[in-house]
Amino acid sequence: MTATGRYMGARVRRNEDARLLTGRALFVDDVHLDGMLHVAFLRSDYAHALLRSVDVAAARRRPGVVAAYTAADLGDYWRPGPLLVPPPPIRGLVFHARTQVPLARDRVRHVGEPIAMVVAESRYVAEDALEDIVVDAEPLPVVVDLEAALAPGAPLVHDDLGSNVAAHAVQRKGDYARARAAAHVVIARRFRYDRGAAAAIENRGIVAQWDPRAEELTLWDTTQAPIPIRNGLARLLGLLESQVRVIAPFVGGGFGPKIMMFYPEEVLLPWAALRLGRPLKWIEDRRENFSATTQERGQIHDAEIAVARDGRILGVRDVFLHDTGAYDPYGLTVPINSQCTLLGPYDVPNYASEFTAVFTNKTIVTPVRGAGRQHGVFVIERLLDFAAKQLGIDRAEIRRRNLLRPDQFPHNHEIIFQDSAPLVYDSGDYAPALERARELIGYDGFVQSEQARLRAAGRHVGLGLVCYVEGTGIGPYEGARVTVEPSGQVRVATGVGTQGQGHFTAFAQIVADVLDVEVDQVHVVTGDTREFHWGTGTFASRGAVVAGSACHAAAVRVREKVLELASGLLGAPPDRLELAGGRVRVRGSSDSAIPLGELALRANPLRGAVRPGTEPGLEATAYFGPDRGSTASGVHAMLVEVDPETAQVEIQRYVVVHDCGRVINPMIVEGQIQGGVAHGIGNAFYEQLVYDEAGQLLNASLMDYLLPTATDVPAVEMAHHETPSPLNPVGVKGVGEAGAIPTGAAFAQAVEDALSDHGVEITEIPLSPNRLFELIEAARSARAR
Amino acid sequence: MDQQVPIGVTVNGVRHERAVEPRLLLSDFLRHELGLTGTHVGCEHGVCGACTVLLDGDAVRSCLILAVQADGHELVTVEGLAPPGGGDELHPLQAAFREAHGLQCGFCTPGFLMTLVPFLREHPHPSEPEIREALSGHLCRCTGYQGIVAAVRLAAGSAP
Ligand code: FES
Ligand code: FES
């Protein structure tokens, strides 16, 4: 059964909003428990140092302090964290796993790495006590720059490895050397992308409670992956999985770093709560967030494209460095995404891609909204721009000529994706989306006349137009349990956590349609392992796809149970019954409709016998595991005006045409895209984590690290273009990251276009106003020479 | 540090008398002493705006004020907007946020609401640039602000 009904595709107001708007919604920092103590961490000020000794004796003596711990106090519990994502089966792959530790023992490898933990009656006292701790550390030479990290004699982040290479992987398709030899033009450039912060407005936080009577550990955690946290903690602490309950309540934005595990705090708070027999709370502050929460996006690409005279891509070669920070617990997800996403919506017959992941003395790198895809899109889109220019082909046209055609799906790219499966696009129809974006932004009018007219009036306005694909909704699986209660209301429990994506509503819509009830009668619970404990988490734009499909499957099973039970009561076969408006009746008859609630009661009788082979209740649990991800795609177009004197950029219009398969709730999808574009604009022009040579982050506050505000982000004009995914019954593809992925590429093209009379070439993101000013000046003096 | 100062504040119409440490932030006082956890904390350095509350009717950042400085004043937090009773009835601005999808994770939302209440009182028919200017002191990482702008227009009765 495929998903249809009155809620599928409708702009349904969100079920969760009333709680959030009135301040009733529970976030981790809102948890208050009797006898609760507060935790603060002493973190390294050095990016790289030997720890000679850490003395917490004075901290322990401070009134109000209950405990202070260093690595030495952890005994056997001290061990490096797990490797979260083992590397995929790529031939010849080199990979060195070096994962983070709970508290640094003899060496610190990045600023912000925790060294000691203080537990006190209040957070204020705990922070006072951090001042009492005496650390004897010997600073070591620091590795910050990616290329310097690989130079002979560079200081080593992990000296047992003998180099700073964390991984090396080569993936190939076809024969690039042959393609290159046959090319009309080969264009080579170096591209850089730098680090940004995910910057969820809620920082991370944990509350841990050991209940000695129930012998149960409860953890409230801002994680995107409550179930794996529960399973891992049970293992670490020697408890049964059923003795550990992890709750990810309302979470104030995730964007990737909240799926990392285990953060040191996540293993330390439960351990100390067990020892001390009192509940503990730690809430990250913004400054900690800038160094202790994972980051992303540092890469350097040396790429070239080989094209025919008509602009067709014959092949692409890309060699890149990926900054993985001080440890690499997330494996190779990010660089492999970069490697795969570079192919975009295009037919690239020959591809040679090679990357080296590099350890540096900086905060750990794990996926942040987009997860490496930005880089791939940036490289291919910029190469196409340069090729178009050199060949004298229009930039929209060179893209159109290279798009995969509908008859090429499913399309196998012959390389391995992050989920260890071959990179296969399930479905897509790219040319109409490109055409639509051209229309919406007014491409022809702009390039043919408008731009010249504006330029004559002294204005520098430019257009950017780029395509992307995004592999979404990967496995392994998610599950859901759907229950009709005797009140007639429906409850849905699923394992994914939610960080604002509207799951309480989108899942309710899917279930409401199958059971034909009002959407506000469907109550969704997410992210509590006591409610549902099978699944993996919210990442890779997979919530709606994978968990949504599981909700659908469970609801379909409940519907079958409903009809079967009603069939006996109404004396008619199930196929003659109809379920509508929360009641079942014999089709065409006006009497004897039975409400769902009454059926739920009857399905759970207090007396009499339940027929053998039947289960009580109107409840079903189902799972969904796609073989591979579904491929979302789209086109972004923007108009910008640049002031060449001040390097200020104003975004005048932003258009997104996207295909995320069937749309469950357009309001939610549009919100995800608008928010993603805002994030992308931030990455492109405002946000950059600036490290100095000593590995110190120079802008670790929201005062200095600029997030875009309401005056920086335009209203995004959107068009949905639906090619339903054949890989799931709902037909959806993920959308959570799409807005943020191609923004940098579009921005670079638009700014370069606006400044075409200055001859500025843009090969890096982020471009701050300062950096753009430098590029304009450099272009000016180059022309003067 | 043990010295405690007595203070008296009225929050959402209810009078509270407490003894607090002089260094206690107003945000921590509201959240942890009074249990009014609807006021959120995102930066504690006055940039994100999540902690905004009304002090004698004006929007202020509760992370930049000490609880002792609120002594004798009237405060309103997000919990004080909707009609009392804990039902599902919302303040018109809250209803507009729901209608126009002005929130995703909802963490920043209480702060936006508390800035917008006095803003709409002073600008009953704001233009879009005025709205954006008013919002620009707040950070939201989820929405890209468009739903928030639409919500303000809806609440102001100026929606197209
Ligand atoms: S917490 Fe007060 S402004 Fe951010
Ligand atoms: S809704 Fe998440 S930060 Fe604004």
Side-chain angles (χ1 to χ4, degrees):
Chain A
M1 160 167 193
T2 54
T4 52
R6 62 184 162 138
Y7 290 121
M8 188 71 195
R11 288 175 185 275
V12 178
R13 292 189 321 197
R14 301 200 317 171
N15 284 345
E16 55 268 57
D17 285 354
R19 275 177 286 170
L20 291 163
L21 284 160
T22 52
R24 277 181 292 152
L26 182 88
F27 291 86
V28 169
D29 192 20
D30 303 343
V31 174
H32 180 83
L33 302 169
D34 283 342
M36 189 163 76
L37 299 171
H38 298 265
V39 175
F41 288 92
L42 180 75
R43 298 179 184 278
S44 175
D45 290 331
Y46 295 114
H48 199 191
L50 289 177
L51 280 184
R52 287 224 192 76
S53 68
V54 182
D55 182 356
V56 294
R60 286 185 177 134
R61 284 195 300 270
R62 179 179 282 268
V65 170
V66 175
Y69 304 113
T70 66
D73 298 308
L74 297 177
D76 286 352
Y77 193 67
W78 189 98
R79 72 188 82 159
L83 175 63
L84 275 177
V85 187
I90 294 172
R91 212 174 322 132
L93 177 89
V94 174
F95 177 69
H96 302 292
R98 287 294 179 277
T99 58
Q100 71 290 349
V101 300
L103 291 171
R105 195 161 55 180
D106 35 29
R107 198 188 258 247
V108 287
R109 295 186 172 86
H110 68 87
V111 171
E113 192 166 4
I115 294 174
M117 167 181 177
V118 173
V119 183
E121 296 290 344
S122 82
R123 174 67 174 251
Y124 290 74
V125 173
E127 289 190 21
D128 291 341
L130 298 182
E131 308 283 324
D132 304 335
I133 299 174
V134 183
V135 177
D136 180 7
E138 179 189 324
L140 294 171
V142 171
V143 181
V144 176
D145 179 78
L146 280 181
E147 289 171 287
L150 297 179
L156 297 178
V157 180
H158 298 278
D159 48 3
D160 59 314
L161 288 178
S163 89
N164 289 312
V165 172
H168 180 251
V170 180
Q171 294 219 65
R172 276 201 194 91
K173 168 191 185 182
D175 181 348
Y176 177 74
R178 271 244 305 272
R180 187 181 206 281
H184 181 66
V185 169
V186 174
I187 288 156
R189 291 287 189 287
R190 162 163 274 220
F191 300 98
R192 286 172 185 274
Y193 228 99
D194 205 352
R195 281 191 183 217
I201 304 301
E202 180 199 37
N203 293 307
R204 290 185 299 121
I206 293 161
V207 174
Q209 179 186 35
W210 171 248
D211 178 343
R213 296 213 177 104
E215 298 192 328
E216 185 183 77
L217 176 77
T218 306
L219 195 77
W220 287 262
D221 187 347
T222 53
T223 181
Q224 293 172 232
I227 296 168
I229 294 279
R230 178 198 72 147
N231 300 350
L233 274 182
R235 230 178 357 257
L236 279 171
L237 294 165
L239 297 169
L240 297 173
E241 287 183 355
S242 51
Q243 283 181 290
V244 183
R245 177 184 183 188
V246 177
I247 303 169
F250 280 98
V251 173
F255 313 120
K258 287 178 180 167
I259 191 118
M260 211 324 253
M261 70 188 101
F262 287 84
Y263 278 104
E265 304 87 359
E266 264 165 340
V267 296
L268 291 169
L269 264 84
W271 174 83
L274 272 160
R275 277 173 83 93
L276 297 171
R278 287 176 69 178
L280 303 183
K281 178 191 269 190
W282 167 75
I283 301 296
E284 184 182 58
D285 69 25
R286 183 56 64 180
R287 202 172 145 196
E288 291 182 285
N289 183 269
F290 272 105
S291 64
T293 288
T294 56
Q295 307 170 347
E296 204 209 287
R297 303 241 203 286
Q299 288 184 0
I300 302 174
H301 290 249
D302 285 303
E304 62 178 51
I305 190 168
V307 283
R309 187 189 297 269
D310 63 0
R312 266 182 315 110
I313 302 171
L314 301 178
V316 174
R317 178 178 141 81
D318 182 27
V319 179
F320 68 98
L321 302 179
H322 167 74
D323 177 1
T324 192
Y327 302 94
D328 58 357
Y330 220 96
L332 297 176
T333 298
V334 173
I336 288 179
N337 273 343
S338 308
Q339 189 165 55
C340 288
T341 309
L342 186 144
L343 294 168
Y346 306 115
D347 190 351
V348 180
N350 300 287
Y351 184 40
S353 173
E354 170 178 352
F355 70 79
T356 306
V358 182
F359 287 118
T360 57
N361 290 117
K362 288 184 279 186
T363 296
I364 302 173
V365 168
T366 71
V368 175
R369 199 174 202 171
R373 297 180 181 88
Q374 275 85 347
H375 313 80
V377 172
F378 187 69
V379 170
I380 188 72
E381 293 295 321
R382 293 272 62 204
L383 286 172
L384 281 172
D385 290 336
F386 299 141
K389 210 171 276 174
Q390 191 149 341
L391 294 167
I393 302 175
D394 172 82
R395 40 195 159 135
E397 179 58 18
I398 198 170
R399 290 175 164 80
R400 194 191 62 76
R401 285 182 194 170
N402 284 294
L403 292 177
L404 290 164
R405 298 181 316 272
D407 62 351
Q408 290 175 284
F409 292 93
H411 188 77
N412 187 345
H413 275 298
E414 300 167 35
I415 58 175
I416 303 285
F417 191 43
Q418 54 143 313
D419 58 355
S420 292
L423 179 66
V424 177
Y425 293 176
D426 60 324
S427 60
D429 186 4
Y430 301 142
L434 178 60
E435 197 42 48
R436 192 75 209 284
R438 283 177 57 146
E439 266 166 49
L440 285 172
I441 199 83
Y443 184 86
D444 294 347
F446 182 82
V447 298
Q448 283 159 22
S449 55
E450 181 70 3
Q451 186 172 34
R453 194 184 62 73
L454 290 164
R455 184 67 51 83
R459 294 177 59 186
H460 290 79
V461 182
L463 187 150
L465 177 81
V466 301
C467 306
Y468 71 97
V469 300
E470 180 195 0
T472 71
I474 57 172
Y477 77 95
E478 287 299 333
R481 183 178 65 248
V482 172
T483 311
V484 178
E485 298 213 1
S487 62
Q489 307 202 44
V490 180
R491 203 148 184 283
V492 180
T494 160
V496 299
T498 184
Q499 305 88 36
Q501 299 92 334
H503 292 149
F504 297 93
T505 310
F507 297 161
Q509 285 177 259
I510 293 171
V511 171
D513 273 346
V514 175
L515 297 176
D516 204 2
V517 295
E518 299 295 318
V519 71
D520 60 5
Q521 299 298 298
V522 181
H523 304 274
V524 177
V525 281
T526 68
D528 180 346
T529 59
R530 179 175 282 174
E531 295 280 352
F532 203 88
H533 62 223
W534 298 102
T536 49
T538 309
F539 58 92
S541 302
R542 66 193 288 280
V545 180
V546 188
S549 298
C551 290
H552 181 263
V556 167
R557 293 253 292 273
V558 168
R559 184 188 165 95
E560 285 162 10
K561 288 189 176 180
V562 165
L563 293 178
E564 201 171 309
L565 179 65
S567 155
L569 296 169
L570 292 170
D575 59 359
R576 286 201 43 226
L577 301 181
E578 72 178 359
L579 171 55
R583 305 169 156 260
V584 186
R585 60 162 57 84
V586 179
R587 193 168 295 122
S589 94
S590 55
D591 45 42
S592 67
I594 313 181
L596 276 178
E598 191 179 325
L599 287 166
L601 263 178
R602 300 256 196 151
N604 186 18
L606 290 174
R607 295 289 183 274
V610 171
R611 271 186 295 122
T614 59
E615 292 167 6
L618 296 179
E619 180 171 283
T621 301
Y623 298 90
F624 180 77
D627 290 340
R628 54 177 193 266
S630 40
T631 314
S633 63
V635 181
H636 285 208
M638 75 198 296
L639 281 177
V640 302
E641 177 158 7
V642 184
D643 180 341
E645 299 311 314
T646 61
Q648 288 302 320
V649 178
E650 187 200 318
I651 300 173
Q652 297 184 332
R653 286 184 63 205
Y654 203 107
V655 166
V656 172
V657 178
H658 73 103
D659 176 1
C660 61
R662 289 279 300 284
V663 172
I664 301 170
N665 185 331
M667 182 185 85
I668 291 174
V669 165
E670 286 164 13
Q672 287 286 317
I673 291 176
Q674 173 79 34
V677 168
H679 201 149
I681 290 172
N683 281 168
F685 202 51
Y686 297 96
E687 303 176 35
Q688 181 170 21
L689 292 168
V690 181
Y691 286 88
D692 69 9
E693 312 89 78
Q696 298 289 339
L697 182 59
L698 300 180
N699 53 346
S701 84
L702 292 179
M703 205 93 78
D704 304 306
Y705 181 88
L706 300 181
L707 296 179
T709 71
T711 50
D712 305 317
V713 182
V716 176
E717 304 159 55
M718 291 174 220
H720 305 295
H721 175 84
E722 295 192 10
T723 45
S725 171
L727 300 179
N728 64 72
V730 194
V732 292
K733 303 173 181 179
V735 69
E737 301 172 88
I741 291 172
T743 328
F747 190 82
Q749 188 193 108
V751 168
E752 193 176 284
D753 186 39
L755 295 172
S756 57
D757 58 342
H758 286 66
V760 170
E761 187 173 282
I762 294 171
T763 51
E764 64 192 277
I765 290 289
L767 271 182
S768 61
N770 289 345
R771 180 64 189 140
L772 183 57
F773 186 78
E774 283 170 20
L775 292 175
I776 294 171
E777 287 301 303
R780 269 198 190 124
S781 52
R783 270 178 312 152
R785 260 187 268 124
Chain B
M1 281 301 161
D2 286 345
Q3 171 208 7
Q4 305 263 314
V5 180
I7 61 167
V9 292
T10 304
V11 186
N12 304 331
V14 180
R15 176 89 185 155
H16 299 272
E17 316 263 348
R18 289 282 197 288
V20 299
E21 264 189 59
R23 65 174 173 171
L24 185 70
L25 299 178
L26 179 59
S27 49
D28 285 340
F29 176 73
L30 291 169
R31 293 180 46 76
H32 305 308
E33 296 282 324
L34 302 186
L36 293 167
T37 53
T39 300
H40 294 156
V41 167
C43 69
E44 289 183 292
H45 49 253
V47 179
C48 75
C51 65
T52 304
V53 299
L54 301 186
L55 184 111
D56 300 334
D58 294 329
V60 298
R61 310 210 153 191
S62 62
C63 74
L64 294 183
I65 297 179
L66 300 171
V68 290
Q69 293 174 288
D71 183 28
H73 293 276
E74 293 247 357
L75 297 163
V76 180
T77 67
V78 70
E79 289 92 343
L81 287 186
D88 271 348
E89 205 185 325
L90 298 176
H91 181 282
L93 183 62
Q94 292 170 321
F97 263 67
R98 179 164 67 173
E99 207 56 51
H101 196 30
L103 66 157
Q104 289 183 22
C105 78
F107 194 80
C108 67
T109 314
F112 276 96
L113 293 172
M114 300 322 284
T115 285
L116 289 167
V117 166
F119 170 74
L120 285 172
R121 200 169 50 219
E122 281 148 37
H123 305 80
H125 303 290
S127 66
E128 173 146 345
E130 281 173 334
I131 296 173
R132 288 190 180 268
E133 198 55 45
L135 302 181
S136 68
H138 287 258
L139 298 176
C140 172
R141 190 53 145 175
C142 300
T143 64
Y145 305 103
Q146 193 51 34
I148 303 177
V149 172
V152 182
R153 295 169 61 155
L154 189 63
S158 59

